[in-house]
């Protein structure tokens, strides 16, 4: 597929029933997939690896930041209700810090870390659970990334996802979430239902705003 045609195929469901949206931010345009409700950035404006790494280094997220811990607990607390100290998990897309795995360690739960830039090796081939907080919006190729995540999950295992859902297309242009240039894919709650159906998952929990916990069937 030529570069100019990349926008005509959804990077999540690979469908071609897409349209260019009426809004833009700075020089970036966005596309909407009618099949899965994903909104995604113009593929020709995606940041390169150097830009992404520099941006992620500014994320000063640590277990000493009470506000950030409270934020993470929105995903961790409902996951803890479904896992045990005997389970081994993976923090997928942890960034330069290991905050989530350190929080889980307080509960005597082992959680490995993976990040394509900072921790590129995945220690195990299968996990009892995977948690991915504020990561899905960074995926350039969500179809491939989500498929990879699920392949690392044992049958019956849990996938915890945190990414803010878009609610209203008319308010998209004013949404703070698109102002980070490394945020390139935006999910509606219906997008999560598409992921559930297309990847043999069962949605076990959601707050309807940013957190979903799936179980692999």
């Amino acid at each position: 597929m030529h570069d100019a045609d990349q926008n005509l195929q959804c990077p999540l469901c690979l469908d071609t029933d897409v349209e260019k949206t009426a809004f833009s931010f700075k020089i970036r345009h966005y596309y909407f997939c009618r099949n899965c409700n994903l909104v995604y950035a113009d593929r020709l404006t995606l940041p390169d690896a150097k830009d992404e790494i520099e941006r992620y280094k500014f994320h000063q997220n640590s277990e000493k930041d009470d506000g950030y811990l409270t934020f993470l607990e929105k995903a961790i607390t409902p996951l803890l209700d479904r896992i045990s100290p005997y389970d081994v998990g993976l923090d997928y897309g942890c960034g330069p810090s290991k905050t989530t795995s350190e929080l889980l360690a307080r509960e005597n739960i082992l959680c490995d870390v993976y990040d394509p830039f900072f921790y590129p090796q995945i220690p195990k081939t299968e996990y009892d659970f995977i948690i991915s907080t504020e990561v899905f919006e960074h995926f350039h190729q969500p179809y491939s990334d989500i498929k990879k995540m699920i392949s690392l999950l044992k049958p019956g295992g849990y996938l915890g996802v945190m990414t803010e859902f878009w609610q209203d297309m008319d308010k998209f242009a004013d949404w703070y979430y698109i102002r980070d240039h490394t945020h390139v894919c935006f999910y509606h709650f219906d997008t999560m239902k598409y992921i559930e159906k297309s990847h043999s998952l069962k949605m076990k929990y959601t707050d309807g705003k940013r957190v979903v916990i799936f179980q692999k069937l």
Side-chain angles (χ1 to χ4, degrees), residues 3-19:
D3 287 344
D5 297 329
Q6 287 184 13
N7 291 315
L8 303 180
Q9 183 179 52
C10 174
L12 173 61
C13 70
L14 308 183
D15 202 285
T16 56
D17 188 12
V18 301
E19 64 178 353

Side-chain angles (χ1 to χ4, degrees), residues 29-184:
H29 295 282
Y30 298 85
Y31 292 78
F32 169 68
C33 177
R34 297 184 186 91
N35 184 53
C36 69
N37 288 284
L38 185 78
V39 175
Y40 56 96
D42 185 333
R43 315 310 286 169
L44 300 180
T45 66
L46 299 181
D48 60 24
K50 182 179 178 180
D51 287 339
E52 288 191 272
I53 291 170
E54 289 304 311
R55 171 64 179 169
Y56 302 151
K57 284 180 179 178
F58 281 104
H59 290 183
Q60 301 299 318
N61 301 326
S62 77
E63 59 180 330
K64 296 179 181 179
D65 184 335
D66 291 338
Y68 182 61
L69 297 188
T70 299
F71 180 70
L72 281 182
E73 285 172 358
K74 296 177 185 293
I76 292 175
T77 298
L79 183 63
L80 285 172
D81 291 339
R82 294 165 172 82
I83 60 178
S84 74
Y86 301 102
D87 292 332
V88 179
L90 177 68
D91 181 6
Y92 191 104
C94 63
S97 68
K98 299 182 180 181
T99 306
T100 297
S101 62
E102 290 167 352
L103 288 175
L104 289 169
R106 296 180 185 178
E107 306 293 332
N108 296 313
I109 295 174
L110 177 63
C111 185
D112 293 336
V113 295
Y114 165 75
D115 187 275
F117 300 118
F118 302 101
Y119 301 98
Q121 301 300 318
I122 299 177
K124 292 170 62 68
T125 57
E126 284 191 311
Y127 287 92
D128 298 297
F129 70 90
I130 295 174
I131 186 167
S132 187
T133 59
E134 295 296 295
V135 176
F136 271 46
E137 64 272 17
H138 298 279
F139 287 157
H140 290 194
Q141 299 295 336
Y143 172 82
S144 299
D145 284 299
I146 294 171
K147 185 176 180 180
K148 178 180 179 180
M149 294 174 76
I150 295 170
S151 74
L152 295 169
L153 195 61
K154 294 179 181 178
Y158 292 96
L159 170 61
V161 178
M162 174 186 273
T163 183
E164 187 166 333
F165 307 153
W166 69 267
Q167 305 287 339
D168 187 337
M169 187 68 73
D170 291 336
K171 298 178 181 179
F172 216 107
D174 298 320
W175 191 23
Y176 79 96
Y177 220 48
I178 69 172
R179 278 151 176 72
D180 184 332
H181 75 285
T182 64
H183 289 186
V184 297

Side-chain angles (χ1 to χ4, degrees), residues 196-210:
E196 174 189 35
K197 181 179 179 180
S198 61
H199 289 282
S200 297
L201 301 170
K202 180 66 176 178
M203 192 181 297
K204 306 299 287 188
Y205 170 87
T206 182
D207 64 359
K209 299 177 180 178
R210 62 170 72 242

Side-chain angles (χ1 to χ4, degrees), residues 189-200:
F189 180 66
D190 286 341
T191 314
M192 292 296 158
K193 291 194 288 186
Y194 166 80
I195 292 171
E196 174 189 35
K197 181 179 179 180
S198 61
H199 289 282
S200 297

